[in-house]
Structure formats: C-alpha cells, structure tokens
Amino acid sequence: MKYISTRQQEETNIKTAILKGLADDGGLFMPEYIPQLDSEFFENLPNLSLQEIGFRVAKEFLGESISDDNLKEIIDEVLNFEIPAVKISDNIYSLELFHGPTMAFKDVGARFMARMMSYFSEGKPMKVIAATSGDTGSAVASGFFGVQGIEVYILYPKGKVSPLQEKQLTTWGGNIKALEIDGTFDDCQALAKQILSDEELNQKFTLTSANSINIARLIPQSYYYFWAFAQLQKLEKPIVFSVPSGNFGNLTAGLFAKKMGLPVHHFVASTNENDVVPKFLETGNYEAKPSKQTISNAMDVGNPSNFERMGNLFNNDVSEFKKDIESYSFSDEETKSAMREVRKEFGYTLDPHGAVAYLGLEKYSEKSNDDFVGVLLETAHPAKFVEVVENVLKEEVTIPEKLEAFNKKEKKSVEFPVDFEAVKNYLIEEK
Ligand SMILES: *Cc1c(COP(=O)(O)O)cnc(C)c1O
C-alpha cells in the first residue's frame, strides 16, 4: 500500500508516512485507496474481540511492512483496556473510549502511534515534539513513556491547562520532558513548528511531530467503530454514530471504517460553537476562523486539520459529504442542559464533549424518520473535566484512582519565555 499526500506531490510507504507525520508539500498522508474487508469478516464480527478486529483492520493498512507477530503484539499492548458500548436509553448507547491510561480517547491513537514509531525507527534515537493544549500531550506522554531511544518534549502553555491536566503532563520523568511556555497554545504550536523545521536541529537529531495529523493516530481510531457493531449488531437496527469533533480525526477514522465496508447508516459530526464544518455542509463554503473558547475545549478548533483528508475522501464535493454526514453545532448552554437532562432522566454522567455528541443524536432524530440506534462517542471521562461537570450537575464527581495517582506525584517542568533560541539551546544541551 502506498501513502500519498492530500496535496498529491509526495508518495511514500507507511514507514516514512508515520516517521514524518506531515508530507513535504504540507499535505497529510492518505492510503492510496481504502482497503475492503471481506464478507466473512463481517459475518464473523460479533464473535471477534477488540484486539482481533484491531489486528485485521491494521493489517490492511500496514501490509507487509510489519510481521503478523509483531503487529499482534503491538495491538494487544495498545488495546489493553475496555471500550464498552453502554446503554443510556432504549435507542442511545455511549461508546466509552476513556478507559485508557489518561482517560481520554486520544490514548487509542497516541499509543498506537508511539509503538509504530518505535518499531519503525529501529532503535535509532529520535526526538518527538508535541505542542498541547491539554489532552493530547498526556496521551502522547503515556504512549511513549519508557520507549527506548525516544525522547519526548511536550510544550504546554503556562497557567492555561487545568491542574489535573498539568499533572498529567509534568509527572512522568524519564524520557518525557515538560516545557512550560509562558505564552498561549498558539505560541507553543509555533515554537514546535520552528523546532521541527530548524536546519541545525534537524542535522543533529531525528525530529518528528506527534500531533493529530499523523496517519498512525487515525488508523487505530477506526477499530472501535467495528467494535461498536460487534457489540450492537444483535439489536438489528441501523446504527448512527455521533462524533464530537474538533480536528475531525475521530470522524475521518469512522469514514475509513464505512469505506472498508462497515454498514454505518449515518454519521453526525457534532461540534461546539466552532462550526466551520456544519457551516460548510450548509453553504458549501469552507471558511477557517479563529477558535472560540468553550466548555468542550478539546474541540475548540477553528481550522480542523483533517478536513483536508475528508475532502480527499469525498472529492471535495459537498453533496458527497452530505450522503454520509450531517453536522450540527451547539452552544455551551445547550451542552450544559444536555448534561443535566441525561443525568436526571437516565442516571448517566456525560462529559461536555459526550454531551455535544448526545445533542447531535437528538437533533438527527428530530429530522429523520429512521428507526435507528444512536451511538455517541464518549471521548473523555467526566472526571477529566471535574470543575465543569460539578458546576453543571451540582453534585460531586468521584475522581478515579487512575487520575488521582497523577495528582499525588510531583510536577517537574522547565520554564521558558516564548523564545525559540532558548528552547533550541535547551534541546542541544540537554542529554
Ligand atoms: C481531541 C478530542 C476531541 C476531538 O477529536 P477530533 O479527532 O480532534 O475531532 C473530542 N473530545 C475529546 C475529549 C478530545 O480530547
């Protein structure tokens, strides 16, 4: 299988696509075609485990670049937690993607990417650079922690992540270094870009980026769409997925699953007030905007990076998008009342991102006469957003042991002003 940049100027293999992340022409890597799974796979789906599904799907994308034994081992390590489809009401299920080590769905993609980078880099020393506004950094840190030969540098904005998020970034030690930047997330991202494109640093080190554009984060996110079917096929109803979306990696992975043959009835791309994609589906014009701050902050994205991949899948034709996707945007007030409603009526606690997905299903069912089962992707444990959830529900949220463990550890970070030369010197001198 070849991998081709969305801007068509570069063609390579999966190994290079994963180690580079971004293509030289500025595009994102896509498989040259979406592989098909055979009817036997689908007939057998309810009998397969999450790990077996992961292996079959990954194999299609990775081909001969890795042996079956090595791939199985990696998949078993990455998917060592549950992803249950939990019933909220008769027709709504929550696919809980938050049972991994940092309790957000980014664990799935980041852990797979870390294992694949480590496998393909063959022990050659490498520096991974990640700018984060919160969740990505901790999932990346957790994925790479203890991996031989790989040093991870996480750049995060001082005072702009939650106390728990900060602990999840700064308490690893070992091969994970937290750089606390006295600026905004945009400053961190700009510094990361400067590092990755600096000639001198690139001569000295093998550098790579761990942000969401890497194809190795996308592939594993398609596994759980199949896994949801494996769990819910017995209901014998069409399945609609509602995906709380920011950079649209999660949704794009779902589109991969559908193109591989999974009979998804429809997708709902649910967003907060950052509504470039819902607006695009409405008007046919894509207009990137500065991001707005909301209570579902992992989706505060004004120019979703994976839109380019979606354009590629749908030939940049809005009418093609509409065949598979509806997209709706919701305010913080609507999100809060959905959290209250679901708690009161069904006794289930949604985090703000899952609540946006719930609203998407409600809106879809108002507009459509189909009798369907709605699956919302619950992307974070409510305790990750404890301040918001407690404030909205007026009840205490129990912090799981896994998160509490971070709170007990000591923060270690190196502080920097927004100064590229200072960060660069640190990277050169730090061994
Ligand atoms: C990153 C994130 C999202 C958005 O996922 P995309 O793939 O960027 O669309 C949603 N919810 C949570 C909790 C996240 O961390």
Side-chain angles (χ1 to χ4, degrees):
M1 169 88 76
K2 285 182 202 139
Y3 282 77
I4 300 175
S5 161
T6 45
R7 300 188 189 170
Q8 313 296 331
Q9 302 299 311
E10 189 173 346
E11 184 182 299
T12 187
N13 56 21
I14 184 71
K15 174 177 165 173
T16 311
I18 290 177
L19 291 179
K20 279 178 76 168
L22 195 67
D24 287 335
D25 62 10
L28 280 64
F29 287 111
M30 282 286 275
E32 63 173 332
Y33 60 90
I34 304 292
Q36 297 296 304
L37 289 159
D38 52 30
S39 54
E40 197 195 321
F41 170 81
F42 287 107
E43 279 155 27
N44 202 23
L45 193 56
N47 306 318
L48 298 181
S49 68
L50 172 62
Q51 292 80 1
E52 285 166 337
I53 291 170
F55 173 76
R56 275 298 307 274
V57 174
K59 180 82 194 147
E60 298 289 334
F61 286 101
L62 298 171
E64 302 303 315
S65 64
I66 179 169
S67 75
D68 285 4
D69 285 348
N70 282 324
L71 182 58
K72 273 200 184 109
E73 195 183 313
I74 288 174
I75 297 276
D76 288 350
E77 267 173 34
V78 168
L79 299 175
N80 67 351
F81 51 87
E82 301 203 320
I83 303 185
V86 174
K87 188 169 179 169
I88 296 187
S89 70
D90 280 348
N91 289 318
I92 297 186
Y93 285 74
S94 166
L95 188 66
E96 294 184 347
L97 300 171
F98 56 67
H99 294 282
T102 73
M103 309 206 83
F105 91 102
K106 293 204 169 61
D107 280 327
V108 179
R111 285 161 70 79
F112 185 73
M113 178 181 65
R115 292 298 183 284
M116 293 312 302
M117 275 189 176
S118 150
Y119 179 81
F120 284 135
S121 67
E122 295 164 355
K124 222 171 64 182
M126 199 160 78
K127 289 191 190 295
V128 175
I129 312 294
T132 185
S133 56
D135 284 347
T136 301
S138 50
V140 166
S142 158
F144 281 108
F145 181 62
V147 175
Q148 280 285 319
I150 298 187
E151 299 282 331
V152 180
Y153 299 85
I154 295 174
L155 287 72
Y156 76 97
K158 180 182 166 77
K160 296 193 177 61
V161 301
S162 78
L164 177 61
Q165 279 178 325
E166 183 168 41
K167 287 280 182 153
Q168 286 191 297
L169 297 172
T170 57
T171 57
W172 296 91
N175 62 330
I176 313 290
K177 311 282 177 342
L179 278 57
E180 187 174 358
I181 308 292
D182 197 358
T184 62
F185 169 63
D186 291 336
D187 293 324
C188 294
Q189 209 157 19
L191 283 171
K193 276 196 183 140
Q194 268 181 297
I195 295 169
L196 289 163
S197 58
D198 185 79
E199 211 169 304
E200 190 186 348
L201 289 174
N202 275 289
Q203 269 167 12
K204 282 194 189 304
F205 309 115
T206 305
L207 297 172
T208 191
S209 135
N211 57 25
S212 70
I213 49 167
N214 198 302
I215 186 74
R217 281 183 57 178
L218 217 60
I219 292 169
Q221 288 177 15
S222 61
Y223 309 158
Y224 44 72
Y225 290 90
F226 295 95
W227 176 236
F229 263 75
Q231 297 176 73
L232 300 176
Q233 224 167 23
K234 56 177 187 277
L235 303 175
E236 295 181 342
K237 280 192 185 171
I239 292 184
V240 173
F241 285 104
S242 178
V243 187
S245 297
N247 269 318
F248 285 76
N250 211 358
L251 182 73
T252 305
L255 297 171
F256 276 24
K258 180 161 192 197
K259 290 212 185 276
M260 293 180 89
L262 190 70
V264 177
H265 185 65
H266 217 70
F267 290 98
V268 182
S270 306
T271 74
N272 56 31
E273 285 190 38
N274 293 282
D275 60 354
V276 277
V277 172
K279 277 271 170 340
F280 164 75
L281 285 173
E282 200 182 303
T283 64
N285 294 322
Y286 180 82
E287 265 177 79
K289 291 191 257 193
S291 64
K292 282 186 216 156
Q293 206 176 343
T294 74
I295 56 166
S296 47
N297 62 16
M299 314 197 295
D300 294 350
V301 181
N303 188 11
S305 51
N306 281 292
F307 187 76
E308 212 167 307
R309 284 199 169 105
M310 289 161 64
N312 193 279
L313 287 172
F314 293 122
N315 297 318
N316 295 308
D317 177 351
V318 69
S319 62
E320 291 294 313
F321 274 80
K322 284 185 178 165
K323 286 181 190 161
D324 283 341
I325 308 170
E326 304 277 315
S327 188
Y328 313 119
S329 148
F330 302 97
S331 68
D332 278 356
E333 283 317 308
E334 290 171 302
T335 306
K336 289 178 189 171
S337 45
M339 289 166 70
R340 286 188 205 107
E341 177 191 317
V342 172
R343 180 72 200 150
K344 187 156 167 262
E345 283 192 27
F346 309 115
Y348 188 85
T349 306
L350 287 167
D351 96 293
H353 305 80
V356 170
Y358 177 83
L359 287 163
L361 285 177
E362 269 198 332
K363 189 131 178 183
Y364 182 82
S365 69
E366 279 165 23
K367 294 199 169 180
S368 131
N369 298 320
D370 309 337
D371 182 21
F372 67 92
V373 169
V375 178
L376 65 91
L377 270 51
E378 179 46 304
T379 46
H381 190 286
K384 283 208 88 163
F385 298 92
V386 59
E387 294 86 2
V388 177
V389 177
E390 289 190 339
N391 190 4
V392 171
L393 299 183
K394 309 284 180 234
E395 58 181 80
E396 209 180 312
V397 173
T398 319
I399 310 285
E401 182 47 39
K402 234 189 268 183
L403 291 180
E404 201 53 75
F406 286 102
N407 267 334
K408 291 183 187 136
K409 290 190 201 154
E410 194 193 338
K411 166 183 163 181
K412 281 200 196 101
S413 69
V414 195
E415 280 196 53
F416 290 96
V418 183
D419 177 357
F420 171 63
E421 289 304 321
V423 176
K424 178 174 168 176
N425 282 334
Y426 168 78
L427 289 175
I428 291 173
E429 278 158 26
E430 200 262 346
K431 291 283 177 297

